[in-house]
Amino acid sequence: MAIVGQRYAYRERARMLGEPVVPVIVVKEGPPRSRKVRIRHLDGEYEGFEEWVPKSRLVAPWEEVNAFCDDERRLLNAVKASGDVQGSIIYKAAEEVFGAIAELFGEELIFFGWKAIEQNLIIIKDFEKSVHKLGLGREELLSEPHAFIDRYGDYKAPFHVSERVVKDFCKRFPKEILRYIQLEENKLRQEAISASTLYEQEFAEEWLVKKKPVFALVREWCGEKALAEFNEVAELRKEIRRLQALIEATARWLKDAGHPVKASLLLKELRRATNCSEYEES
């Protein structure tokens, strides 16, 4: 996109959120590798002065400067209200729930911020659409202290909002969330036993220890009833797999004993029963 002739909000220390910006106009672009532009200051003590600066210092188109500054101010307030919770057990447990919800809905609609300054904030992408898809209370979310919708339509709020949201998810989707963390735990257990190298096995064991309180908290949020039902279903599935293996072994024995027709009929009935149970479960 051509930027020569366009006005921008310029900040010398681009990453220092909240610092003042000044209007400039781009008069020339440097070579692509330089990532620099020549600007002319349009106001203040440097009005009319031209200089080469890194393109990253052009923090926003000038016509968006008010919205840009409002977003920064509200973001800083939300960050301050959050505190530093990244890496805590509750933070990691919330991340697990968000991962399960992303898998359930087929896309990542709610998460913690990716940028360093936003990592303690809960973000809902494209808020007006996602809030209904996720079944969350729009007005309740917007009423949270220091919560806001930025100029791109994304919802951002302090960390404390995430605890209420993930508990709501655990109440509405306990089976899916419990299954998500169980699969993750099973994978780590398997790697701790059968990974190809000792390093990988020890790494998986270490993660199992770290994840244990995280998984426990998610299960607590899902509730004893949901956990009991999930465990009951898991045990039933184990028993079904055991019986399937037994029937398959019996079919092989019948075939080896000279009864291939009986063996074939037995396996056919097993496949039919298996397909029915999978259909009913889905």
Side-chain angles (χ1 to χ4, degrees):
M1 183 179 70
I3 64 173
V4 174
Q6 301 297 315
R7 294 191 305 163
Y8 285 88
Y10 172 81
R11 179 186 286 149
E12 187 168 353
R13 297 192 296 176
R15 296 183 179 180
M16 297 301 294
L17 276 64
E19 286 197 351
V21 295
V22 296
V24 299
I25 189 169
V26 177
V27 296
K28 189 176 182 180
E29 286 192 78
R33 289 187 178 182
S34 73
R35 298 181 181 179
K36 288 190 174 183
V37 291
R38 187 170 183 82
I39 61 168
R40 181 187 306 125
H41 290 261
L42 299 177
D43 197 10
E45 60 179 318
Y46 295 107
E47 183 177 358
F49 176 68
E50 294 188 6
E51 61 177 328
W52 287 98
V53 300
K55 193 179 295 185
S56 60
R57 296 182 185 177
L58 305 179
V59 293
W62 186 251
E63 61 268 20
E64 297 178 14
V65 68
N66 290 333
F68 170 80
C69 290
D70 283 344
D71 279 353
E72 280 198 344
R73 173 182 53 79
R74 295 183 293 182
L75 176 64
L76 290 171
N77 288 336
V79 169
K80 184 178 180 180
S82 284
D84 187 11
V85 293
Q86 188 187 19
S88 65
I89 291 176
I90 189 173
Y91 184 98
K92 293 178 179 179
E95 279 188 314
E96 292 291 337
V97 175
F98 289 156
I101 293 301
E103 183 176 277
L104 177 61
F105 285 89
E107 56 182 324
E108 198 170 28
L109 302 173
I110 184 167
F111 45 85
F112 290 122
W114 299 317
K115 296 179 182 177
I117 195 170
E118 296 180 345
Q119 287 178 345
N120 291 304
L121 302 184
I122 179 176
I123 297 177
I124 301 178
K125 184 180 178 181
D126 196 358
F127 179 72
E128 296 299 344
K129 291 183 179 179
S130 298
V131 70
H132 296 297
K133 187 172 184 178
L134 294 169
L136 298 173
R138 179 183 183 280
E139 300 305 323
E140 190 174 5
L141 286 170
L142 291 175
S143 68
E144 292 284 356
H146 306 295
F148 68 99
I149 300 177
D150 69 13
R151 65 190 187 282
Y152 300 114
D154 296 337
Y155 173 89
K156 299 179 180 181
F159 174 79
H160 74 268
V161 178
S162 67
E163 185 174 0
R164 181 177 62 77
V165 171
V166 296
K167 286 181 177 178
D168 175 65
F169 284 144
C170 287
K171 182 179 179 180
R172 291 190 288 130
F173 308 111
K175 182 176 71 173
E176 293 82 359
I177 292 170
L178 288 170
R179 179 179 179 275
Y180 179 87
I181 64 170
Q182 188 64 56
L183 288 174
E184 184 178 354
E185 188 173 34
N186 290 346
K187 182 180 178 182
L188 287 171
R189 290 186 186 281
Q190 185 63 34
E191 290 176 353
I193 297 172
S194 59
S196 57
T197 67
L198 179 60
Y199 172 79
E200 291 174 329
Q201 291 177 10
E202 291 177 344
F203 184 80
E205 289 175 359
E206 182 181 345
W207 268 104
L208 268 174
V209 172
K210 290 180 178 179
K211 289 275 192 177
K212 184 176 180 180
V214 175
F215 293 149
L217 182 54
V218 175
R219 289 178 174 123
E220 180 183 323
W221 286 340
C222 288
E224 293 183 5
K225 181 180 178 181
L227 181 57
E229 291 176 352
F230 179 82
N231 289 336
E232 182 180 352
V233 170
E235 289 301 317
L236 287 172
R237 286 174 178 164
K238 287 182 182 178
E239 181 63 13
I240 289 172
R241 286 194 292 270
R242 187 187 71 82
L243 292 173
Q244 286 175 341
L246 180 61
I247 293 171
E248 288 170 352
T250 302
R252 287 194 296 271
W253 179 85
L254 284 170
K255 184 177 180 181
D256 293 341
H259 304 286
V261 176
K262 290 182 178 180
S264 177
L265 289 173
L266 187 60
L267 289 174
K268 184 178 180 181
E269 285 299 310
L270 175 61
R271 285 193 294 270
R272 186 186 66 80
T274 302
N275 291 335
C276 286
S277 64
E278 288 176 354
Y279 176 79
E280 289 169 0
E281 184 180 328
S282 63

